[in-house]
Amino acid sequence: MVVTAVYSDNSREIVTDYTYTPAGELTTNDKIITITYQGKQATVAITVNARVVEPEKPTLSRIEITKMPTKTTYIEGEKFDPTGMVVTAVYSDGSKKVITNYSCFPTTNLTTSINKATITYTENGITKTETIDIVVNSASQNNNNNNNNNNSNNNNNNNNNNNSNNNNNNNNNNNNNNQEKPNTQVDDTTKDQDLAYTGLETYIAPAIIIVIIIGIIGFIKYRKYKDI
């Protein structure tokens, strides 16, 4: 803004030692600014808009491990592997989002004294961390476990072979017993060198008599027919 003083002889001079009101914070009720210099005043129209209050941006409250990594058991000398892990950021307004630009510690080779992994995430100057439990076995312990597993598998195989052999031996013994067992079925159709009674005689004798009678009657009728 440039303020010019105009004198009685119509001369002009740019002045800077003027004052103005209001000089404090403006409100929507303020419509003009009044400039004063040596008792003379001038006004400038202004417009004051209401202040727009921007909503407060949510801030990072914490992080959560919403899915554990695929691998949580290690052998000393290996490095932590976050594959499969899902990390979620939680904000002050309750909103959540899955994040991937987190950091994991330790980044060096694991030792048996380490039982946790630390996950760290920073956003807008706020840093949050979370930890997960891990297991780090010594190389010798891992070898012993492998040997124990192999011995267990060998024992199981030996037991299975023994059971198979026992079953085969039992089957062979049963077959030998069946072959050596004498046939004790008694033929009772003879008794004291004579035919024994079988029960069929009751039916055979009457049938023979009937056949003989029929044969006699037939022969008699044949003779009569021949004589005629």
Side-chain angles (χ1 to χ4, degrees):
M1 183 173 64
V2 177
V3 178
T4 301
V6 181
Y7 295 96
S8 57
D9 60 357
N10 288 327
S11 61
R12 295 170 176 268
E13 178 187 14
I14 295 176
V15 296
T16 57
D17 55 342
Y18 55 83
T19 60
Y20 60 87
T21 57
E25 292 185 357
L26 301 174
T27 69
T28 55
N29 294 324
D30 295 319
K31 306 298 181 183
I32 60 173
I33 295 293
T34 301
I35 295 92
T36 302
Y37 177 71
Q38 293 185 3
K40 302 298 180 178
Q41 294 180 335
T43 60
V44 176
I46 62 171
T47 299
V48 181
N49 296 318
R51 178 182 297 170
V52 178
V53 179
E54 295 183 358
E56 183 180 355
K57 292 183 178 181
T59 57
L60 181 66
S61 296
R62 65 182 186 278
I63 60 174
E64 297 177 347
I65 310 301
T66 49
K67 185 177 180 181
M68 292 291 286
T70 304
K71 185 175 182 179
T72 56
T73 301
Y74 296 86
I75 302 172
E76 59 180 344
E78 293 183 323
K79 291 186 177 181
F80 176 72
D81 183 3
T83 301
M85 183 171 64
V86 177
V87 182
T88 301
V90 183
Y91 296 90
S92 56
D93 62 352
S95 60
K96 298 181 179 182
K97 75 173 181 180
V98 174
I99 56 176
T100 56
N101 54 333
Y102 52 80
S103 300
C104 299
F105 300 94
T107 58
T108 57
N109 294 341
L110 299 174
T111 64
T112 54
S113 62
I114 298 174
N115 58 10
K116 291 185 182 295
T118 301
I119 292 82
T120 301
Y121 175 66
T122 300
E123 184 176 306
N124 295 329
I126 300 176
T127 300
K128 297 296 179 179
T129 62
E130 187 60 85
T131 60
I132 61 173
D133 294 331
I134 61 174
V135 176
V136 182
N137 295 321
S138 65
S140 59
Q141 180 181 358
N142 184 68
N143 291 333
N144 289 334
N145 290 336
N146 289 335
N147 290 333
N148 290 334
N149 290 333
N150 290 333
N151 290 334
S152 177
N153 291 332
N154 290 333
N155 289 334
N156 289 333
N157 291 332
N158 290 333
N159 290 333
N160 291 333
N161 291 332
N162 290 334
N163 290 334
S164 178
N165 291 333
N166 290 334
N167 290 333
N168 291 333
N169 290 334
N170 290 334
N171 291 333
N172 291 332
N173 289 334
N174 290 333
N175 291 334
N176 291 333
N177 290 334
N178 291 333
Q179 291 175 0
E180 293 175 0
K181 188 176 180 179
N183 186 5
T184 57
Q185 184 176 358
V186 178
D187 184 5
D188 56 357
T189 57
T190 60
K191 185 176 182 182
D192 298 333
Q193 303 301 322
D194 296 328
L195 288 177
Y197 177 76
T198 62
L200 296 178
E201 293 84 348
T202 304
Y203 304 98
I204 295 175
I208 294 173
I209 295 172
I210 292 172
V211 171
I212 293 172
I213 294 172
I214 293 173
I216 295 171
I217 294 173
F219 179 75
I220 294 171
K221 287 184 177 183
Y222 170 73
R223 295 296 299 176
K224 286 182 179 181
Y225 174 78
K226 185 176 181 183
D227 295 338
I228 294 171

